[in-house]
Amino acid sequence: MSQEQKKEVKPKKVQKKNKKKKQNKAPRLHVDGIFMGYRRGLTTQKTGTSLIKIVGVATRKETEWYLGKKVAYVYNASRHHNGSNVRTIWGKITSSHGNSGIVRAKFKRNLPAIAMGKKVRVMMYPSNI
Amino acid sequence: MSLKQESKITQGTVLILLIGKFKGKRVVFLKKLSSGLLLVTGPYNVNGVPLTRIKRKYVIATKTKVDLENLEIPEEINDKFFSPKKPINNWEKTEEKFFTKKQDLKNVGLNETQTKLQNQVDKPINEAIKKIQYLKEYLTARFKLQKGQLPHKMKF
Protein backbone atom coordinates (compact mmCIF):
# COMPACT_ATOMS: atom_id res chain seq x y z
CA MET A 1 0.00 0.00 0.00
CA SER A 2 1.34 3.43 -0.94
CA GLN A 3 1.52 6.26 1.59
CA GLU A 4 -1.38 8.05 -0.14
CA GLN A 5 -3.58 5.05 0.24
CA LYS A 6 -2.75 4.63 3.91
CA LYS A 7 -5.60 5.87 6.00
CA GLU A 8 -4.93 8.20 8.89
CA VAL A 9 -5.18 6.65 12.31
CA LYS A 10 -7.91 8.60 14.01
CA PRO A 11 -8.40 8.49 17.77
CA LYS A 12 -11.35 6.38 18.82
CA LYS A 13 -14.49 8.40 19.56
CA VAL A 14 -15.58 8.07 23.15
CA GLN A 15 -19.29 7.29 23.13
CA LYS A 16 -21.03 9.61 25.51
CA LYS A 17 -23.98 8.08 27.27
CA ASN A 18 -26.99 10.17 26.43
CA LYS A 19 -27.82 11.33 29.95
CA LYS A 20 -30.46 13.79 28.81
CA LYS A 21 -32.72 11.03 27.53
CA LYS A 22 -32.93 9.36 30.93
CA GLN A 23 -33.85 12.57 32.70
CA ASN A 24 -36.76 13.25 30.37
CA LYS A 25 -38.15 9.75 30.66
CA ALA A 26 -41.90 9.66 31.26
CA PRO A 27 -42.63 9.59 34.99
CA ARG A 28 -44.24 6.55 36.55
CA LEU A 29 -47.64 7.58 37.80
CA HIS A 30 -49.07 4.16 38.46
CA VAL A 31 -48.66 1.39 41.00
CA ASP A 32 -47.81 -2.07 39.77
CA GLY A 33 -50.17 -4.89 40.45
CA ILE A 34 -50.36 -8.54 39.52
CA PHE A 35 -53.32 -10.27 37.96
CA MET A 36 -53.84 -13.20 40.32
CA GLY A 37 -56.73 -14.86 38.55
CA TYR A 38 -60.46 -14.57 38.25
CA ARG A 39 -63.01 -14.45 41.02
CA ARG A 40 -63.75 -18.05 41.78
CA GLY A 41 -65.03 -20.71 44.07
CA LEU A 42 -63.13 -23.94 44.33
CA THR A 43 -64.30 -25.40 41.04
CA THR A 44 -65.76 -22.58 38.99
CA GLN A 45 -64.32 -19.20 38.02
CA LYS A 46 -66.19 -16.03 37.05
CA THR A 47 -64.08 -14.46 34.33
CA GLY A 48 -66.00 -11.18 34.49
CA THR A 49 -64.17 -10.12 37.65
CA SER A 50 -60.39 -10.24 38.04
CA LEU A 51 -58.41 -10.34 41.24
CA ILE A 52 -55.46 -8.03 41.52
CA LYS A 53 -52.70 -7.90 44.08
CA ILE A 54 -51.39 -4.37 44.38
CA VAL A 55 -47.75 -4.09 45.39
CA GLY A 56 -47.39 -2.87 48.95
CA VAL A 57 -51.03 -3.26 49.92
CA ALA A 58 -51.50 -5.92 52.59
CA THR A 59 -54.68 -5.12 54.50
CA ARG A 60 -58.29 -4.46 53.65
CA LYS A 61 -58.09 -0.96 55.09
CA GLU A 62 -55.23 -0.01 52.77
CA THR A 63 -57.28 -0.92 49.71
CA GLU A 64 -59.75 1.90 50.40
CA TRP A 65 -57.57 4.41 48.61
CA TYR A 66 -57.51 2.32 45.44
CA LEU A 67 -61.24 1.71 45.08
CA GLY A 68 -62.55 3.26 41.89
CA LYS A 69 -59.10 3.78 40.38
CA LYS A 70 -58.46 2.84 36.79
CA VAL A 71 -56.40 -0.21 35.92
CA ALA A 72 -54.67 -1.04 32.67
CA TYR A 73 -53.31 -4.32 31.36
CA VAL A 74 -50.60 -3.40 28.89
CA TYR A 75 -49.34 -5.91 26.37
CA ASN A 76 -47.56 -6.19 23.03
CA ALA A 77 -49.05 -7.56 19.86
CA SER A 78 -47.24 -8.59 16.71
CA ARG A 79 -49.20 -6.33 14.39
CA HIS A 80 -48.62 -2.59 14.49
CA HIS A 81 -51.67 -0.39 14.62
CA ASN A 82 -51.42 3.43 14.41
CA GLY A 83 -47.65 3.16 14.61
CA SER A 84 -47.50 1.09 17.78
CA ASN A 85 -47.89 -2.54 18.77
CA VAL A 86 -48.59 -1.71 22.43
CA ARG A 87 -52.18 -2.42 23.43
CA THR A 88 -54.16 -1.93 26.61
CA ILE A 89 -57.25 -3.29 28.23
CA TRP A 90 -58.76 -0.75 30.62
CA GLY A 91 -60.74 -1.49 33.73
CA LYS A 92 -61.36 -0.23 37.22
CA ILE A 93 -61.06 -1.47 40.74
CA THR A 94 -64.52 -2.24 42.02
CA SER A 95 -64.04 -3.52 45.56
CA SER A 96 -61.70 -5.16 47.98
CA HIS A 97 -61.48 -8.93 48.16
CA GLY A 98 -60.79 -10.61 51.47
CA ASN A 99 -58.71 -9.26 54.32
CA SER A 100 -55.21 -9.31 52.87
CA GLY A 101 -55.26 -6.44 50.43
CA ILE A 102 -56.40 -8.19 47.27
CA VAL A 103 -58.74 -6.18 45.13
CA ARG A 104 -61.41 -6.95 42.56
CA ALA A 105 -61.42 -5.29 39.18
CA LYS A 106 -63.70 -5.30 36.17
CA PHE A 107 -62.26 -4.74 32.75
CA LYS A 108 -63.95 -3.49 29.62
CA ARG A 109 -63.12 -6.78 28.00
CA ASN A 110 -62.28 -9.63 30.33
CA LEU A 111 -58.59 -10.21 30.83
CA PRO A 112 -57.13 -13.10 28.85
CA ALA A 113 -55.98 -16.09 30.91
CA ILE A 114 -52.45 -15.64 29.59
CA ALA A 115 -52.27 -12.47 31.70
CA MET A 116 -52.30 -14.42 34.95
CA GLY A 117 -49.21 -13.63 36.94
CA LYS A 118 -48.45 -10.69 34.72
CA LYS A 119 -48.19 -7.04 35.65
CA VAL A 120 -51.11 -4.69 35.62
CA ARG A 121 -50.93 -0.90 36.12
CA VAL A 122 -53.10 0.68 38.79
CA MET A 123 -53.45 4.37 37.98
CA MET A 124 -53.79 7.20 40.48
CA TYR A 125 -56.91 8.59 38.84
CA PRO A 126 -59.87 9.27 39.25
CA SER A 127 -58.27 11.24 42.01
CA ASN A 128 -59.97 12.05 45.26
CA ILE A 129 -57.11 13.90 46.91
CA MET B 1 -68.26 16.51 44.73
CA SER B 2 -68.25 17.10 48.46
CA LEU B 3 -67.73 20.51 50.00
CA LYS B 4 -64.51 19.28 51.57
CA GLN B 5 -62.91 18.71 48.21
CA GLU B 6 -64.07 21.98 46.74
CA SER B 7 -62.44 24.10 49.40
CA LYS B 8 -59.11 22.31 48.99
CA ILE B 9 -58.37 23.72 45.58
CA THR B 10 -58.12 27.50 45.80
CA GLN B 11 -56.35 30.02 43.60
CA GLY B 12 -52.63 29.39 43.79
CA THR B 13 -52.78 25.75 44.85
CA VAL B 14 -50.09 23.61 43.30
CA LEU B 15 -51.62 20.65 41.48
CA ILE B 16 -50.02 17.51 40.09
CA LEU B 17 -51.30 16.49 36.67
CA LEU B 18 -51.92 12.77 36.29
CA ILE B 19 -52.90 12.52 32.66
CA GLY B 20 -52.07 13.94 29.28
CA LYS B 21 -48.98 15.43 27.71
CA PHE B 22 -47.97 17.17 30.92
CA LYS B 23 -48.46 14.27 33.30
CA GLY B 24 -46.33 14.48 36.40
CA LYS B 25 -45.91 18.22 36.10
CA ARG B 26 -46.67 20.49 39.00
CA VAL B 27 -48.83 23.44 38.00
CA VAL B 28 -50.54 26.41 39.59
CA PHE B 29 -54.33 26.48 39.77
CA LEU B 30 -55.97 29.68 38.60
CA LYS B 31 -59.70 29.39 38.29
CA LYS B 32 -62.58 27.02 37.82
CA LEU B 33 -64.18 27.55 34.41
CA SER B 34 -67.92 27.54 33.75
CA SER B 35 -67.71 24.06 32.24
CA GLY B 36 -66.35 22.74 35.54
CA LEU B 37 -62.82 22.24 34.24
CA LEU B 38 -59.88 23.68 36.15
CA LEU B 39 -57.77 26.37 34.51
CA VAL B 40 -54.07 25.99 35.26
CA THR B 41 -50.75 27.37 34.15
CA GLY B 42 -47.15 26.09 34.55
CA PRO B 43 -46.17 28.96 34.50
CA TYR B 44 -44.96 28.47 30.92
CA ASN B 45 -41.39 29.65 31.46
CA VAL B 46 -40.97 27.46 34.55
CA ASN B 47 -42.10 24.04 33.33
CA GLY B 48 -43.46 24.46 29.81
CA VAL B 49 -47.11 24.07 30.69
CA PRO B 50 -49.20 26.82 29.04
CA LEU B 51 -52.68 27.90 30.06
CA THR B 52 -54.58 24.61 29.98
CA ARG B 53 -57.65 23.13 31.49
CA ILE B 54 -58.08 19.74 33.12
CA LYS B 55 -60.71 17.78 34.95
CA ARG B 56 -60.65 17.71 38.72
CA LYS B 57 -60.42 13.91 38.81
CA TYR B 58 -57.16 13.83 36.89
CA VAL B 59 -55.37 16.03 39.38
CA ILE B 60 -53.81 15.73 42.83
CA ALA B 61 -54.09 18.83 45.02
CA THR B 62 -51.06 19.48 47.20
CA LYS B 63 -50.78 21.54 50.35
CA THR B 64 -48.40 23.95 48.65
CA LYS B 65 -49.96 27.28 47.77
CA VAL B 66 -48.72 30.31 45.88
CA ASP B 67 -50.06 33.56 47.26
CA LEU B 68 -51.63 35.24 44.24
CA GLU B 69 -53.60 37.89 46.18
CA ASN B 70 -56.89 37.32 44.32
CA LEU B 71 -55.35 37.58 40.88
CA GLU B 72 -57.87 38.58 38.23
CA ILE B 73 -57.75 36.36 35.19
CA PRO B 74 -58.78 38.07 31.93
CA GLU B 75 -62.31 37.18 30.81
CA GLU B 76 -60.98 36.19 27.38
CA ILE B 77 -59.67 32.98 28.90
CA ASN B 78 -62.80 30.88 29.00
CA ASP B 79 -64.01 27.60 27.53
CA LYS B 80 -64.33 29.03 24.03
CA PHE B 81 -60.65 30.02 24.09
CA PHE B 82 -59.76 26.35 24.45
CA SER B 83 -62.33 24.84 22.13
CA PRO B 84 -60.68 22.36 19.79
CA LYS B 85 -59.82 23.47 16.30
CA LYS B 86 -61.61 21.82 13.40
CA PRO B 87 -59.72 18.82 11.98
CA ILE B 88 -57.92 19.27 8.69
CA ASN B 89 -60.25 17.88 6.06
CA ASN B 90 -59.09 16.79 2.64
CA TRP B 91 -55.56 16.32 3.86
CA GLU B 92 -54.02 15.18 0.57
CA LYS B 93 -56.06 17.28 -1.80
CA THR B 94 -54.51 20.70 -1.19
CA GLU B 95 -51.09 21.00 -2.85
CA GLU B 96 -49.53 22.93 0.01
CA LYS B 97 -50.74 20.48 2.62
CA PHE B 98 -49.58 17.59 0.47
CA PHE B 99 -45.99 18.81 0.57
CA THR B 100 -45.76 19.90 4.23
CA LYS B 101 -44.56 17.20 6.55
CA LYS B 102 -46.84 16.19 9.38
CA GLN B 103 -43.92 16.76 11.76
CA ASP B 104 -43.92 20.48 11.01
CA LEU B 105 -47.50 20.84 12.14
CA LYS B 106 -47.13 19.01 15.43
CA ASN B 107 -45.30 21.27 17.87
CA VAL B 108 -46.38 24.66 16.67
CA GLY B 109 -46.05 26.22 20.09
CA LEU B 110 -48.16 29.13 21.17
CA ASN B 111 -49.59 31.62 18.73
CA GLU B 112 -49.62 35.40 19.23
CA THR B 113 -52.80 35.76 21.23
CA GLN B 114 -51.86 32.79 23.36
CA THR B 115 -48.39 34.14 24.19
CA LYS B 116 -49.81 37.57 24.99
CA LEU B 117 -52.32 36.19 27.46
CA GLN B 118 -49.78 33.72 28.80
CA ASN B 119 -47.29 36.46 29.63
CA GLN B 120 -50.02 38.62 31.10
CA VAL B 121 -51.14 35.89 33.49
CA ASP B 122 -47.68 34.48 34.27
CA LYS B 123 -46.05 37.77 35.28
CA PRO B 124 -47.63 38.16 38.74
CA ILE B 125 -47.38 34.40 39.33
CA ASN B 126 -43.64 34.40 38.67
CA GLU B 127 -43.20 37.25 41.13
CA ALA B 128 -45.15 35.36 43.78
CA ILE B 129 -43.08 32.20 43.16
CA LYS B 130 -39.82 34.08 43.81
CA LYS B 131 -40.94 34.87 47.35
CA ILE B 132 -40.90 31.24 48.47
CA GLN B 133 -37.55 29.49 48.57
CA TYR B 134 -37.15 26.48 46.24
CA LEU B 135 -40.69 26.85 44.87
CA LYS B 136 -39.46 27.40 41.33
CA GLU B 137 -37.32 24.25 41.49
CA TYR B 138 -40.32 22.41 42.94
CA LEU B 139 -42.49 23.45 39.99
CA THR B 140 -39.78 22.52 37.50
CA ALA B 141 -39.39 19.02 38.93
CA ARG B 142 -41.79 16.35 37.83
CA PHE B 143 -43.70 14.14 40.21
CA LYS B 144 -43.07 10.45 39.85
CA LEU B 145 -43.47 7.37 41.95
CA GLN B 146 -40.18 5.79 42.87
CA LYS B 147 -39.42 2.31 44.07
CA GLY B 148 -41.01 1.69 47.44
CA GLN B 149 -43.31 4.71 47.26
CA LEU B 150 -46.97 3.93 47.67
CA PRO B 151 -49.58 6.61 46.98
CA HIS B 152 -51.98 5.36 49.66
CA LYS B 153 -49.32 6.08 52.28
CA MET B 154 -48.31 9.46 50.92
CA LYS B 155 -49.49 12.81 52.19
CA PHE B 156 -49.95 15.37 49.49
Side-chain angles (χ1 to χ4, degrees):
Chain A
M1 251 202 325
S2 64
Q3 273 186 352
E4 289 165 291
Q5 283 178 340
K6 261 189 188 173
K7 285 182 183 173
E8 282 180 13
V9 177
K10 287 182 184 170
K12 276 187 188 175
K13 269 189 184 176
V14 179
Q15 272 192 333
K16 285 184 190 173
K17 285 187 184 175
N18 207 344
K19 280 189 179 176
K20 260 193 179 178
K21 265 191 181 175
K22 263 197 173 178
Q23 281 170 9
N24 290 333
K25 201 178 171 185
R28 190 187 112 223
L29 291 168
H30 61 266
V31 186
D32 283 328
I34 298 170
F35 172 41
M36 307 282 288
Y38 304 112
R39 191 175 122 231
R40 58 177 303 157
L42 184 61
T43 51
T44 50
Q45 59 186 16
K46 305 289 179 182
T47 51
T49 310
S50 314
L51 302 178
I52 291 173
K53 180 175 175 57
I54 305 171
V55 171
V57 178
T59 57
R60 196 187 181 93
K61 197 182 178 189
E62 287 178 345
T63 63
E64 269 176 41
W65 191 91
Y66 294 94
L67 299 184
K69 299 284 185 282
K70 291 246 161 151
V71 201
Y73 169 60
V74 185
Y75 61 104
N76 289 338
S78 54
R79 190 171 65 91
H80 281 249
H81 180 67
N82 285 340
S84 166
N85 68 337
V86 180
R87 298 185 192 176
T88 55
I89 301 176
W90 284 99
K92 61 170 123 175
I93 292 173
T94 54
S95 55
S96 49
H97 180 85
N99 294 320
S100 303
I102 304 286
V103 125
R104 291 183 197 167
K106 284 198 142 213
F107 287 82
K108 212 165 184 185
R109 311 235 63 179
N110 297 345
L111 287 187
I114 210 169
M116 279 195 215
K118 295 232 174 105
K119 267 192 194 173
V120 128
R121 297 185 191 180
V122 179
M123 302 299 174
M124 291 171 75
Y125 54 84
S127 153
N128 223 2
I129 311 167
Chain B
M1 229 177 33
S2 64
L3 283 170
K4 220 184 190 180
Q5 286 173 19
E6 279 193 68
S7 60
K8 242 189 195 180
I9 300 180
T10 55
Q11 194 179 62
T13 311
V14 174
L15 308 174
I16 299 172
L17 301 180
L18 296 173
I19 207 171
K21 187 181 171 187
F22 304 113
K23 62 171 162 249
K25 299 244 178 178
R26 295 176 168 110
V27 294
V28 178
F29 171 72
L30 295 175
K31 171 177 141 172
K32 190 175 172 185
L33 299 170
S34 58
S35 62
L37 298 169
L38 309 178
L39 174 70
V40 294
T41 182
Y44 189 64
N45 62 310
V46 171
N47 54 19
V49 182
L51 286 160
T52 44
R53 46 179 196 166
I54 14 117
K55 281 189 177 177
R56 164 64 184 99
K57 64 178 179 179
Y58 296 127
V59 136
I60 291 177
T62 60
K63 284 187 289 184
T64 319
K65 283 194 173 47
V66 183
D67 185 18
L68 293 176
E69 292 162 19
N70 295 319
L71 176 70
E72 262 192 56
I73 291 121
E75 290 236 357
E76 298 166 285
I77 306 170
N78 52 20
D79 287 306
K80 275 189 183 176
F81 178 75
F82 292 105
S83 57
K85 289 165 192 168
K86 283 185 183 173
I88 303 167
N89 290 318
N90 303 324
W91 165 248
E92 274 102 38
K93 287 182 184 175
T94 322
E95 219 180 270
E96 197 191 298
K97 286 179 187 173
F98 185 76
F99 287 109
T100 49
K101 291 182 187 174
K102 261 193 178 175
Q103 287 173 357
D104 298 334
L105 291 174
K106 262 187 184 175
N107 284 321
V108 190
L110 304 174
N111 61 28
E112 271 184 50
T113 43
Q114 282 176 323
T115 40
K116 193 184 106 190
L117 285 168
Q118 187 73 53
N119 291 329
Q120 188 184 351
V121 175
D122 280 355
K123 199 177 172 191
I125 300 173
N126 279 317
E127 284 169 10
I129 287 169
K130 280 183 193 174
K131 292 178 188 170
I132 305 172
Q133 200 186 23
Y134 302 126
L135 185 59
K136 194 181 177 187
E137 284 81 1
Y138 178 67
L139 291 174
T140 317
R142 264 174 135 173
F143 172 81
K144 59 177 178 176
L145 288 173
Q146 292 177 323
K147 192 176 177 181
Q149 285 185 335
L150 302 161
H152 72 272
K153 287 186 179 172
M154 293 168 97
K155 282 188 181 177
F156 290 98

